[in-house]
Every structure is written in structure tokens, then in C-alpha cells.
Amino acid sequence: MDTKSDDWLKIKYFKTIDVVILGYRTNPFGLVIGLNFRTVKNKPVGVVEFGFLSEDKQMFLMLAKQLSTFMEDKTQWIEPRLCCRIDYLERTDTHQLRTTVFRGFLPDKKPEECKWES
């Protein structure tokens, strides 16, 4: 019974997590996201490029101008003060989040509350 059928459905189970925004890229637009671990603060864990509305991008870029710190390798780093919620499919052994989708900004969340809960 090793046959494939159109009756089979592949279901991907996404998980949700709140992350701190550490920086951004403009071409293509993407947020560099991070998490706080027990021993490391604001560790970059991935880039989220999908799920943004144009209003999300415009609002973020206006806020980011006030928080910009330095530019490095096409990434504009910012002060870690903004948080957002993302969905992700998997996490690597080095805590990098794969297949990420933006779900919304979290204006009332404190960056130190964006933690990896194992």
C-alpha cells in the first residue's frame, strides 16, 4: 500500500510565539526577530517576510526611524523596544525559527516578556 492518492491531506501545524523586533530589511521587506533565553538576551532567531499588510509596513517604518541604531549587511538594526506575534512551523537546534508568518504588532508587550518557553 505504498501509493499516493489525492484523498490524502498534508496538514502543517504552525505554532505561535511573541518575539522582539531587532531590526529590518527593506528589499525584500522583513523583520529580524529575536527572543530572550535564560542565558542570552535578544538573540536573533529569524526573519519574517510574509503576512504583512502595507499599512503594517508603513507604520513600522515610521516608528523604526526613531529607534534606528546602525546598518550592517542590508539590515537596519533598531533598539529592541517593539514586539510582534508570529506563527512558525519549526525550530532548529540553534533556535532559528523556520517558515515564519507575521500576525500583528503587540504595542503593549514588553520586549523582556518575549521569551523562549521550552
Side-chain angles (χ1 to χ4, degrees), residues 9-112:
L9 293 176
K10 184 174 186 176
I11 298 173
K12 295 184 177 189
Y13 175 69
F14 279 84
K15 298 162 225 46
T16 300
I17 193 166
D18 296 345
V19 294
V20 61
I21 302 168
L22 303 175
Y24 64 95
R25 300 174 183 162
T26 55
N27 193 14
F29 181 83
L31 298 178
V32 178
I33 54 173
L35 284 168
N36 292 297
F37 294 83
R38 203 170 20 87
T39 57
V40 181
K41 300 290 181 222
N42 299 322
K43 177 184 177 178
V45 294
V47 176
V48 60
E49 296 178 342
F50 302 103
F52 296 97
L53 300 174
S54 60
E55 306 90 75
D56 294 331
K57 292 179 190 178
Q58 291 171 355
M59 183 193 74
F60 172 77
L61 291 171
M62 285 187 347
L63 288 171
K65 285 179 189 175
Q66 302 161 21
L67 302 174
S68 292
T69 56
F70 65 96
M71 183 80 154
E72 176 186 56
D73 297 329
K74 298 182 184 178
T75 297
Q76 175 64 57
W77 296 96
I78 64 171
E79 294 174 33
R81 292 195 195 167
L82 304 173
C83 299
C84 67
R85 181 162 291 154
I86 64 158
D87 289 343
Y88 68 99
L89 193 56
E90 60 188 4
R91 176 187 67 98
T92 68
D93 290 342
T94 59
H95 302 290
Q96 297 301 298
L97 303 180
R98 297 273 176 91
T99 315
T100 55
V101 180
F102 176 81
R103 291 296 174 219
F105 291 108
L106 301 170
D108 297 330
K109 185 135 190 158
K110 295 179 180 143
E112 56 271 16

